[in-house]
Amino acid sequence: MTIRIGITGAAGRMGRTLIEAIALAGDELQLAAAIEQPRSSFLGADSGELSGQGRNGVPVVGSLGEVIDSIDALIDFTVPAATLANVALCAERGVAIVIGTTGFTAAEQGEIESAATRIALCKASNFSTGVNLCFQLLDMAARVLGDEVDIEVYEAHHRHKIDAPSGTALSMGEVVANALGRDLAKVAVYGRQGQTGARERETIGFATVRAGDIVGDHTVTFAAEGERVEITHKASSRMSFARGAVRAARWLAGQGAGYYDMQDVLGLKKLAE
Ligand code: NAP
């Protein structure tokens, strides 16, 4: 069976990489639609040429509604407002969706979760296999090192990124907080300046760097007296995220309605049990 995929944000950094990843994924997957925002200067362009793959005959269109009936799954890496509209349309038409967009409020996250009662939906702050492995390593490190260490999350991304800290950094903080029975909303410290006073052990600090073309670096430090453990992931190409998102779209084809993440797709939850 061929799975027909649509990509929203097709002319964006991730959109172009996703088009390439689908072209490399084999016959089981077919790029069936490329969608951009209605005022995009790329409307009508050949999406294969946009992604540097050569012509593929799939033009960029200005609305998901035009093509929704010709796809089985949508992969969406855009902006929160666009993703929410796309999720609503997918839920209405029974189309599975993979969501890579980050930066949602708690209320918006609730909207996404309620759509997942109607369709198969996979959302992850990071689709790379390496980062999802790191989530498991972080859980283990937090459980072993526990309250003996200070925990800090560092992340660096390219200068165009519009949200901070990154969704991945927040997910890493959540994994660690959950493992230690802490509420991230209460213990997170976002940046420090001036007379901060001494560090409270239970806080989890976040530091953000925005510079140049960094694809995505994350380090979580567990620092005790006399030693420290650092778990680091460095992405050097967006293809690591795109391959994961395409894998998720293929995996969703065999699932019923529900809210899934990349840990489900990779089978890492079973591994941790
Ligand atoms: P980007 O280069 O700015 O791409 C976003 C694209 O979405 C742009 O082409 C934008 O068009 C388009 N867009 C905006 N509104 C739209 C709409 N209504 N319909 C269709 N397309 C629309 O950003 P990016 O670096 O690819 O990142 C996109 C998102 O993915 C961000 O939230 C980022 O944090 C996230 N991300 C997630 C992962 C992960 O693994 N989960 C990895 C990388 C990035 P205009 O530029 O014309 O507005």
Side-chain angles (χ1 to χ4, degrees), residues 208-247:
T208 293
V209 168
R210 293 287 174 264
D213 62 354
I214 302 170
V215 174
D217 292 355
H218 293 87
T219 294
V220 181
T221 299
F222 299 84
E225 297 293 327
E227 66 173 347
R228 66 182 187 271
V229 172
E230 295 191 328
I231 295 176
T232 294
H233 179 271
K234 293 187 180 187
S236 49
S237 155
R238 289 187 177 81
M239 192 49 90
S240 58
F241 313 129
R243 257 201 305 268
V246 167
R247 182 169 173 170

Side-chain angles (χ1 to χ4, degrees), residues 35-66:
I35 305 109
E36 257 299 328
Q37 48 115 338
R39 291 167 308 284
S40 170
S41 55
F42 295 105
L43 298 191
D46 184 272
S47 60
E49 283 182 348
L50 257 189
S51 76
Q53 299 301 293
R55 279 190 80 75
N56 63 9
V58 181
V60 177
V61 300
S63 108
L64 176 61
E66 280 179 51

Side-chain angles (χ1 to χ4, degrees), residues 9 12-14 36-37 77-78 82 100 102 124-127 161 241:
R13 282 176 287 266
M14 277 305 299
E36 257 299 328
Q37 48 115 338
F77 283 66
T78 56
T102 58
S125 58
N126 194 305
F127 278 94
K161 185 163 177 60
F241 313 129

